[in-house]
Amino acid sequence: NITKSIILAFITLPAVWIGFQILFNHWNNMVIISLGTVYAVGDIIALFSMFNKLPLSTKLHHITVLALETASVLCTDYRTFTVMRGFVVYALLSCPTFLVNLCLAMRHLMEKGDARLVLLMRIALVNYTICLTINWIYQIYFLHKLGTLTRIVYILVVTSLVNDDIVLVKFLWNRGEPRKNLLFSLSVE
């Protein structure tokens, strides 16, 4: 998780730059595929090196990233409208959420209830919520551009990404423990 956090932090500014290009309908294949490869490599390594240790939602997320990266590299031309464009935006808006992966790593390196970890989780939760809100609004908008069959397939694929995001939001909300309310807790254990 530390590695993924570093990778996502490292590619956040290029992701913002690509995002601005996309706003003006400029889809640069080489840049998108290159950044996508950097994004995907951490997930792919984790998938194969830690498969038995990963929760199901994370396995599905990593398998989805592997499949999308393969399709992106082998057969996608982003200059023409393609369903893959929606996944590019999903990935771009996932980059600034690198603090979530840092929290996942730090929970094993810090004492439970450490005020610094709690603060990091609160900041990560706010950041994650903002990024997910923007992302999911865009995804709903994007769905309306797709045909019926393509829309169904897209929803099935993106659900594995959304599900993992929901699992991680719950983790942050609960400070990594069940039944804890992160936002309304006044004390740090």
Side-chain angles (χ1 to χ4, degrees):
N1 282 308
I2 289 177
T3 302
K4 184 168 181 179
S5 180
I6 292 168
I7 290 170
L8 291 178
F10 180 74
I11 64 174
T12 292
L13 286 179
V16 170
W17 177 71
I18 292 170
F20 280 118
Q21 287 188 322
I22 288 171
L23 284 174
F24 297 101
N25 202 31
H26 180 73
W27 296 81
N28 184 321
N29 279 324
M30 184 60 75
V31 173
I32 291 169
I33 291 170
S34 297
L35 192 70
T37 301
V38 173
Y39 176 94
V41 74
D43 284 2
I44 294 167
I45 290 170
L47 179 64
F48 290 110
S49 67
M50 300 174 44
F51 187 82
N52 293 329
K53 296 179 183 178
L54 297 173
L56 179 60
S57 64
T58 305
K59 287 177 187 174
L60 292 174
H61 168 94
H62 290 343
I63 290 167
T64 301
V65 168
L66 172 60
L68 293 172
E69 178 60 15
T70 302
S72 179
V73 169
L74 296 180
C75 58
T76 303
D77 182 0
Y78 292 102
R79 295 170 295 181
T80 60
F81 183 80
T82 172
V83 68
M84 294 293 287
R85 283 182 172 188
F87 296 117
V88 167
V89 173
Y90 206 103
L92 292 175
L93 286 166
S94 297
C95 294
T97 67
F98 58 87
L99 287 178
V100 175
N101 293 92
L102 184 59
C103 289
L104 290 171
M106 297 308 291
R107 70 187 162 153
H108 298 296
L109 302 174
M110 299 174 79
E111 294 290 324
K112 276 188 182 177
D114 186 306
R116 296 167 297 173
L117 182 58
V118 171
L119 178 61
L120 181 63
M121 287 187 171
R122 287 180 177 160
I123 293 168
L125 178 62
V126 170
N127 171 263
Y128 205 24
T129 302
I130 291 167
C131 290
L132 286 176
T133 300
I134 294 166
N135 206 342
W136 293 349
I137 288 170
Y138 176 83
Q139 297 303 317
I140 291 167
Y141 162 78
F142 184 75
L143 279 173
H144 293 298
K145 294 180 166 190
L146 303 175
T148 304
L149 182 58
T150 307
R151 186 179 301 150
I152 291 168
V153 172
Y154 187 83
I155 289 169
L156 290 174
V157 174
V158 84
T159 297
S160 69
L161 304 175
V162 170
N163 183 60
D164 197 43
D165 286 331
I166 291 169
V167 168
L168 292 171
V169 165
K170 287 179 182 178
F171 166 80
L172 292 171
W173 180 267
N174 294 317
R175 272 193 259 152
E177 299 176 28
R179 295 175 271 128
K180 294 240 180 195
N181 188 325
L182 174 64
L183 290 183
F184 302 107
S185 174
L186 296 177
S187 64
V188 176
E189 300 162 0

Short mmCIF file of all heavy atoms in Angstrom, two decimals, residues 93-97 126-136:
data_model
loop_
_atom_site.label_atom_id
_atom_site.label_comp_id
_atom_site.label_asym_id
_atom_site.label_seq_id
_atom_site.Cartn_x
_atom_site.Cartn_y
_atom_site.Cartn_z
N LEU A 93 -9.37 10.27 -11.64
CA LEU A 93 -9.93 10.81 -10.40
C LEU A 93 -9.59 9.94 -9.19
O LEU A 93 -9.86 10.33 -8.05
CB LEU A 93 -11.44 11.00 -10.54
CG LEU A 93 -11.83 12.18 -11.43
CD1 LEU A 93 -13.30 12.14 -11.81
CD2 LEU A 93 -11.49 13.50 -10.73
N SER A 94 -8.99 8.80 -9.42
CA SER A 94 -8.52 7.95 -8.32
C SER A 94 -7.10 8.32 -7.87
O SER A 94 -6.71 8.02 -6.74
CB SER A 94 -8.55 6.48 -8.74
OG SER A 94 -9.87 6.08 -9.01
N CYS A 95 -6.36 8.98 -8.73
CA CYS A 95 -4.97 9.33 -8.38
C CYS A 95 -4.85 10.22 -7.15
O CYS A 95 -4.02 9.94 -6.27
CB CYS A 95 -4.27 9.96 -9.59
SG CYS A 95 -4.06 8.82 -10.96
N PRO A 96 -5.66 11.29 -7.04
CA PRO A 96 -5.50 12.17 -5.87
C PRO A 96 -5.91 11.53 -4.54
O PRO A 96 -5.78 12.15 -3.50
CB PRO A 96 -6.41 13.36 -6.18
CG PRO A 96 -6.74 13.27 -7.62
CD PRO A 96 -6.60 11.83 -8.00
N THR A 97 -6.39 10.29 -4.59
CA THR A 97 -6.83 9.62 -3.35
C THR A 97 -5.71 8.77 -2.73
O THR A 97 -5.99 7.87 -1.95
CB THR A 97 -8.07 8.75 -3.62
OG1 THR A 97 -7.70 7.66 -4.48
CG2 THR A 97 -9.20 9.55 -4.24
N VAL A 126 -12.18 12.78 3.70
CA VAL A 126 -12.72 13.97 3.05
C VAL A 126 -12.25 14.04 1.60
O VAL A 126 -13.05 14.25 0.68
CB VAL A 126 -12.32 15.25 3.83
CG1 VAL A 126 -12.67 16.51 3.04
CG2 VAL A 126 -13.00 15.27 5.19
N ASN A 127 -10.97 13.85 1.39
CA ASN A 127 -10.41 13.86 0.03
C ASN A 127 -11.05 12.78 -0.84
O ASN A 127 -11.45 13.04 -1.98
CB ASN A 127 -8.89 13.65 0.12
CG ASN A 127 -8.26 13.43 -1.24
OD1 ASN A 127 -8.04 12.29 -1.63
ND2 ASN A 127 -7.99 14.50 -1.94
N TYR A 128 -11.17 11.59 -0.31
CA TYR A 128 -11.74 10.46 -1.04
C TYR A 128 -13.20 10.74 -1.40
O TYR A 128 -13.63 10.49 -2.53
CB TYR A 128 -11.64 9.22 -0.16
CG TYR A 128 -11.63 7.89 -0.87
CD1 TYR A 128 -11.22 7.74 -2.18
CD2 TYR A 128 -12.00 6.74 -0.18
CE1 TYR A 128 -11.19 6.49 -2.80
CE2 TYR A 128 -11.97 5.49 -0.78
CZ TYR A 128 -11.56 5.37 -2.09
OH TYR A 128 -11.53 4.14 -2.68
N THR A 129 -13.95 11.27 -0.46
CA THR A 129 -15.36 11.57 -0.68
C THR A 129 -15.53 12.60 -1.79
O THR A 129 -16.40 12.46 -2.66
CB THR A 129 -16.02 12.05 0.62
OG1 THR A 129 -15.86 11.04 1.62
CG2 THR A 129 -17.50 12.34 0.42
N ILE A 130 -14.69 13.62 -1.79
CA ILE A 130 -14.76 14.64 -2.84
C ILE A 130 -14.44 14.03 -4.20
O ILE A 130 -15.17 14.23 -5.18
CB ILE A 130 -13.82 15.82 -2.52
CG1 ILE A 130 -14.33 16.61 -1.31
CG2 ILE A 130 -13.66 16.75 -3.74
CD1 ILE A 130 -13.33 17.58 -0.72
N CYS A 131 -13.36 13.27 -4.28
CA CYS A 131 -12.97 12.65 -5.55
C CYS A 131 -14.02 11.66 -6.04
O CYS A 131 -14.34 11.63 -7.23
CB CYS A 131 -11.61 11.95 -5.41
SG CYS A 131 -10.23 13.11 -5.21
N LEU A 132 -14.56 10.85 -5.13
CA LEU A 132 -15.58 9.88 -5.53
C LEU A 132 -16.86 10.57 -6.00
O LEU A 132 -17.49 10.13 -6.96
CB LEU A 132 -15.90 8.93 -4.38
CG LEU A 132 -14.85 7.88 -4.07
CD1 LEU A 132 -15.26 7.07 -2.84
CD2 LEU A 132 -14.60 6.96 -5.24
N THR A 133 -17.24 11.64 -5.33
CA THR A 133 -18.45 12.36 -5.73
C THR A 133 -18.30 12.90 -7.15
O THR A 133 -19.19 12.71 -7.99
CB THR A 133 -18.74 13.51 -4.74
OG1 THR A 133 -18.93 12.95 -3.43
CG2 THR A 133 -19.98 14.29 -5.16
N ILE A 134 -17.19 13.56 -7.42
CA ILE A 134 -16.95 14.08 -8.77
C ILE A 134 -16.91 12.92 -9.76
O ILE A 134 -17.52 12.98 -10.84
CB ILE A 134 -15.63 14.87 -8.82
CG1 ILE A 134 -15.74 16.14 -7.96
CG2 ILE A 134 -15.25 15.23 -10.26
CD1 ILE A 134 -14.41 16.82 -7.68
N ASN A 135 -16.23 11.84 -9.40
CA ASN A 135 -16.08 10.70 -10.28
C ASN A 135 -17.43 10.07 -10.59
O ASN A 135 -17.76 9.81 -11.76
CB ASN A 135 -15.15 9.66 -9.64
CG ASN A 135 -14.47 8.79 -10.66
OD1 ASN A 135 -14.87 8.68 -11.81
ND2 ASN A 135 -13.41 8.15 -10.23
N TRP A 136 -18.22 9.81 -9.59
CA TRP A 136 -19.48 9.12 -9.80
C TRP A 136 -20.49 10.00 -10.55
O TRP A 136 -21.29 9.48 -11.33
CB TRP A 136 -20.03 8.61 -8.48
CG TRP A 136 -19.18 7.50 -7.90
CD1 TRP A 136 -18.16 6.83 -8.52
CD2 TRP A 136 -19.24 6.96 -6.59
NE1 TRP A 136 -17.60 5.91 -7.68
CE2 TRP A 136 -18.24 5.95 -6.48
CE3 TRP A 136 -20.03 7.22 -5.47
CZ2 TRP A 136 -18.04 5.21 -5.32
CZ3 TRP A 136 -19.83 6.49 -4.32
CH2 TRP A 136 -18.84 5.49 -4.25
#
